[in-house]
Amino acid sequence: MAYRTSSTRIGILAGLAALALSSTAALAQEPTALTIVVPNPSALNNFPLHNAIGEGYFEEEGLTITVEAVNGSASVLQALASGQAQIGNPGPGPVLSARERGEEVVFIYNQYPNSIFGLVVPEESDVQDPSALKDKVIGVGTADGAEVGFTRAIMAESGLMENEGYEFLAIGDGGTAAAAILGDEVAAYAAAASDAAIIEARGIPLREITPDGFLSYFGNGWAVTQAYLDENADVIERFGRALVKGTRFGLDPANNEKTLANAAAANPQEGEDTALAALLLEAAQTRINPQEQFRGEGFGYQPPEHWQLWHEAQVETGALKAPLPDLEAAYTNQFVEAWNAE
């Protein structure tokens, strides 16, 4: 009897253990769904994201990713604020403006530590520096895109203020931008590296007039609301870890062909012109690779002094009415070490 009781107890315990293991496995297999919103449809601009999807890095982290493209950083921030997306890819200038409006959005990952924008003119233009654009029209992709804040800072350094010394005109990108340049609708174009590559591929040679020192005006990165950060730190850690893997994979020239394929899977039209796609990838790689002095900090790191540059420029140009009371609340490096741990 004692033996039978012991055997029964063992059987019950074994059954409970099996049930617990089964439940744990089921939970482990249940992925976390994330909607990621980006400011334009280019997959090559976001090759780390699409590598992380294509190479299975998000899957390894238990994440299921849906990517939605919208029109500019303002729309990205709107999607985050409304809860339509959990993680977005805005520029730093629009993030600072959103915080001034009381929106608690936090930049968590600096994807483009080098400026993704440049101020360019047609190669045959007489304009040699930004000061020569006085009383001229400067083309931008969208009226509220990150390139606007970047160019305001450049022009302010030359003593020129928007609507007084120059004007912006939203001309889109790709073919519409090329048409505006050919038609002399604009004297210069505030272009992302990818936009410039597309225009040059269409037979319009460009010359950059961006002043030295503007490289530290970093570009778009990943952001969340403060509420989402507070409640989902583990998800953010998993997201960033996969993204770092996708970045490392994409910066290795040996993986260029696979990186191009991962991007083409997300945006087939962008991958149709293989020569242009290779140029676009090269431009993105150059700007995503951190500046040498910060490489030891890891991918995603945000130098506080670079945030200060953006902050001062936004105040000086009037994009911010006054300095933010707590600039450090606009960004965090709390996940960088975990993301980059191997």
Side-chain angles (χ1 to χ4, degrees):
M1 178 68 68
Y3 177 78
R4 287 198 299 273
T5 301
S6 176
S7 176
T8 301
R9 183 179 296 123
I10 291 171
I12 292 172
L13 291 174
L16 289 173
L19 180 61
L21 287 172
S22 175
S23 298
T24 301
L27 288 172
Q29 292 171 3
E30 187 68 28
T32 299
L34 289 178
T35 297
I36 308 299
V37 63
V38 296
N40 61 69
S42 173
L44 286 166
N45 280 350
N46 263 315
F47 73 78
L49 175 71
H50 295 290
N51 274 343
I53 294 171
E55 299 304 309
Y57 301 141
F58 284 129
E59 185 178 2
E60 291 172 3
E61 296 290 345
L63 301 175
T64 299
I65 304 295
T66 299
V67 181
E68 299 287 348
V70 295
N71 187 25
S73 291
S75 296
V76 168
L77 294 168
Q78 184 178 11
L80 294 179
S82 65
Q84 294 177 305
Q86 291 75 51
I87 302 177
N89 186 228
V95 166
L96 293 177
S97 296
R99 292 194 65 86
E100 184 177 54
R101 296 192 300 269
E103 299 173 19
E104 292 191 328
V105 60
V106 183
F107 217 80
I108 58 170
Y109 188 111
N110 183 4
Q111 176 158 285
Y112 275 90
N114 303 293
S115 174
I116 62 174
F117 299 110
L119 188 59
V120 299
V121 296
E123 190 173 58
E124 70 277 8
S125 171
D126 294 333
V127 173
Q128 299 299 321
D129 59 67
S131 65
L133 292 172
K134 179 175 172 58
D135 299 327
K136 304 290 187 181
V137 178
I138 300 173
V140 292
T142 61
D144 53 10
E147 72 273 21
V148 174
F150 173 78
T151 309
R152 283 194 186 116
I154 291 176
M155 300 304 290
E157 187 179 66
S158 296
L160 300 174
M161 304 301 289
E162 183 182 0
N163 297 326
E164 295 177 7
Y166 66 94
E167 293 182 6
F168 284 128
L169 177 65
I171 60 174
D173 52 24
T176 59
I181 293 170
L182 282 174
D184 294 326
E185 295 178 46
V186 296
Y189 183 43
S194 56
D195 296 329
I198 291 170
I199 291 170
E200 291 200 290
R202 291 174 180 265
I204 307 174
L206 298 174
R207 175 166 44 83
E208 188 164 356
I209 60 169
T210 307
D212 293 340
F214 278 82
L215 185 64
S216 296
Y217 284 86
F218 58 94
N220 292 43
W222 297 99
V224 297
T225 63
Q226 183 68 58
Y228 188 82
L229 188 156
D230 292 340
E231 298 173 8
N232 298 277
D234 64 318
V235 176
I236 292 172
E237 184 173 325
R238 288 149 57 195
F239 172 82
R241 190 159 49 233
L243 201 64
V244 165
K245 290 178 182 177
T247 303
R248 288 183 177 137
F249 185 90
L251 289 178
D252 185 346
N255 297 325
N256 278 0
E257 186 174 341
K258 192 64 186 292
T259 296
L260 289 167
N262 288 334
N267 187 336
Q269 184 177 3
E270 190 177 41
E272 287 177 357
D273 186 335
T274 56
L276 175 58
L279 289 174
L280 293 173
L281 176 59
E282 182 181 359
Q285 289 168 328
T286 300
R287 286 158 173 78
I288 283 177
N289 199 15
Q291 297 175 29
E292 187 173 355
Q293 65 268 36
F294 297 113
R295 287 178 190 169
E297 301 289 349
F299 293 107
Y301 175 71
Q302 305 173 64
E305 59 268 37
H306 292 181
W307 269 106
Q308 192 62 42
L309 281 175
W310 264 111
H311 188 223
E312 291 172 357
Q314 295 295 92
V315 173
E316 184 178 356
T317 59
L320 291 177
K321 297 175 183 176
L324 296 180
D326 185 8
L327 175 61
E328 292 183 358
Y331 66 96
T332 180
N333 283 314
Q334 75 179 80
F335 300 100
V336 173
E337 183 176 356
W339 288 336
N340 287 272
E342 297 201 43

